[in-house]
């Protein structure tokens, strides 16, 4: 549904809807308590939906700067992980400087979210009303760079490329959305993505307990280190971008599996 919205509605409207979910989630979290208004799960779900929409909505921005598209896409993915440190950062800052109540802190975050999403909506609205010639030229440049990447991959993955070329008749390009969803290729990508995201979330949610109970981290020293390490992946964005450009997507995936 989110992808369908991105294709069908203006980006300004899309980020306005995203802001509603995110800000509502923050406000519900601010008003909730464990006795009279226990809606933490609702607020958390709304924030999760808003965060997912924010990440997916950021991907089209990479097409505006095709020269740096790979780096932008990598940065978006890393920033999504780094966003897990937002509440941790504000909590530590609040304890050391402001000493606001939990409710007031989330109300403050809601105001910040309004400014951020409002800015995004305005910028996309202005961009969509401008002359798109520059964007079209950028897309042409992006196509050329994509062709260069494909040529690089062909030289590194001859056998794979030959198999793809021999099955051009099975391309899903041009099919309707419903027919694309029914193809084995879509099912494979969907299954891989679902399992990968589940694995990542399970790892992140259980690592603290593993460190405490399995390694005896009673003082949370290792858990605190992990809290800093998780969002620091953004510093590796230049390395990821160069690896993608030089080695190609397939070889980068092989390297990722080897390191993981």
């Amino acid at each position: 549904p989110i992808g369908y919205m991105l294709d069908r509605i203006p980006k300004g409207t899309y980020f306005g809807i995203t802001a509603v979910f995110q800000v509502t989630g923050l406000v519900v979290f601010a008003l909730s308590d464990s006795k009279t208004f226990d809606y933490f799960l609702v607020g958390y779900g709304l924030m999760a939906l808003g965060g997912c929409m924010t990440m997916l909505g950021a991907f089209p921005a990479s097409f505006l700067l095709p020269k740096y598209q790979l780096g932008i896409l990598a940065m978006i993915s890393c920033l999504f992980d780094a966003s897990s440190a937002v509440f941790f950062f504000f909590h530590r800052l609040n304890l050391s400087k402001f000493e606001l109540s939990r409710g007031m802190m989330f109300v403050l975050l809601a105001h910040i979210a309004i400014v951020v999403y409002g800015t995004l909506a305005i910028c996309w609205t202005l961009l969509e009303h401008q002359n798109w010639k520059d964007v079209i030229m950028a897309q042409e440049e992006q196509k050329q760079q994509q062709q260069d990447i494909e040529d690089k991959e062909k030289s590194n993955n001859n056998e794979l490329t030959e198999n793809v070329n021999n099955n051009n008749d099975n391309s899903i390009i041009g099919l309707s959305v419903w027919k694309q969803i029914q193809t084995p290729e879509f099912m494979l990508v969907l299954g891989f993505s679902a399992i990968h995201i589940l694995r990542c979330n399970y790892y992140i949610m259980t690592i603290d307990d593993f460190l405490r109970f399995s390694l005896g981290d009673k003082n949370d020293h290792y858990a605190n280190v992990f809290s800093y390490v998780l969002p620091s992946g953004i510093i590796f964005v230049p390395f990821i971008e160069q690896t993608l450009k030089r080695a190609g997507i397939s070889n980068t995936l092989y390297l990722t599996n080897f390191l993981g």
Side-chain angles (χ1 to χ4, degrees):
I2 296 176
Y4 185 82
M5 291 173 61
L6 279 170
D7 291 335
R8 296 295 181 179
I9 66 176
K11 300 296 186 296
T13 304
Y14 173 87
F15 279 107
I17 297 172
T18 303
V20 171
F21 287 120
Q22 193 70 43
V23 173
T24 303
L26 289 167
V27 172
V28 170
F29 226 80
L31 298 176
S32 295
D33 59 63
S34 57
K35 296 180 179 179
T36 60
F37 193 75
D38 191 1
Y39 286 92
F40 288 108
L41 183 60
V42 175
Y44 194 82
L46 289 171
M47 286 189 287
L49 178 58
C52 179
M53 293 179 66
T54 302
M55 179 182 179
L56 295 179
F59 287 133
S62 66
F63 293 97
L64 300 176
L65 297 171
K67 183 178 180 180
Y68 306 102
Q69 184 178 26
L70 295 175
I72 293 173
L73 292 174
M75 184 175 295
I76 291 171
S77 298
C78 291
L79 282 173
F80 187 73
D81 293 332
S83 66
S84 63
V86 171
F87 293 128
F88 176 78
F89 171 77
F90 273 96
H91 178 66
R92 289 296 181 91
L93 183 64
N94 182 43
L95 290 178
S96 60
K97 299 291 184 180
F98 305 107
E99 298 183 356
L100 299 174
S101 65
R102 175 186 55 79
M104 287 301 300
M105 186 179 72
F106 277 97
V107 169
L108 176 62
L109 288 172
H111 282 82
I112 295 175
I114 292 173
V115 174
V116 171
Y117 285 106
T119 303
L120 280 172
I122 292 172
C123 288
W124 272 109
T125 300
L126 292 176
L127 181 62
E128 291 180 335
H129 283 84
Q130 287 178 355
N131 191 336
W132 278 85
K133 289 183 178 180
D134 294 337
V135 178
I136 295 174
M137 292 175 61
Q139 289 177 342
E140 292 299 324
E141 182 181 351
Q142 187 270 337
K143 289 181 180 179
Q144 182 60 46
Q145 289 187 348
Q146 184 65 30
Q147 183 62 45
D148 294 340
I149 293 174
E150 291 177 357
D151 292 341
K152 181 70 175 180
E153 286 191 306
K154 286 179 181 179
S155 63
N156 295 329
N157 304 280
N158 291 328
E159 183 177 353
L160 176 62
T161 304
E162 290 176 1
N163 291 334
V164 173
N165 290 335
N166 291 333
N167 291 279
N168 280 334
D169 294 337
N170 297 326
S171 175
I172 65 174
I173 299 175
L175 297 179
S176 65
V177 174
W178 178 244
K179 288 184 178 179
Q180 288 187 30
I181 292 175
Q182 295 176 311
T183 59
E185 293 87 350
F186 180 86
M187 297 296 180
L188 177 62
V189 172
L190 178 62
F192 174 83
S193 301
I195 293 173
H196 178 66
I197 295 298
L198 177 62
R199 181 184 66 83
C200 290
N201 290 335
Y202 184 79
Y203 174 78
I204 293 172
M205 293 302 296
T206 59
I207 186 63
D208 286 354
D209 291 335
F210 173 78
L211 292 173
R212 291 191 187 100
F213 298 109
S214 298
L215 300 182
D217 185 25
K218 296 181 180 180
N219 295 321
D220 293 342
H221 292 310
Y222 294 117
N224 289 331
V225 170
F226 178 77
S227 298
Y228 288 104
V229 170
L230 177 63
S232 63
I234 192 173
I235 65 177
F236 295 101
V237 168
F239 171 75
I240 298 172
E241 180 184 18
Q242 290 302 315
T243 303
L244 285 167
K245 286 183 177 180
R246 296 176 183 275
I249 297 175
S250 298
N251 288 330
T252 301
L253 289 175
Y254 290 142
L255 177 61
T256 302
N257 289 331
F258 174 77
L259 294 175

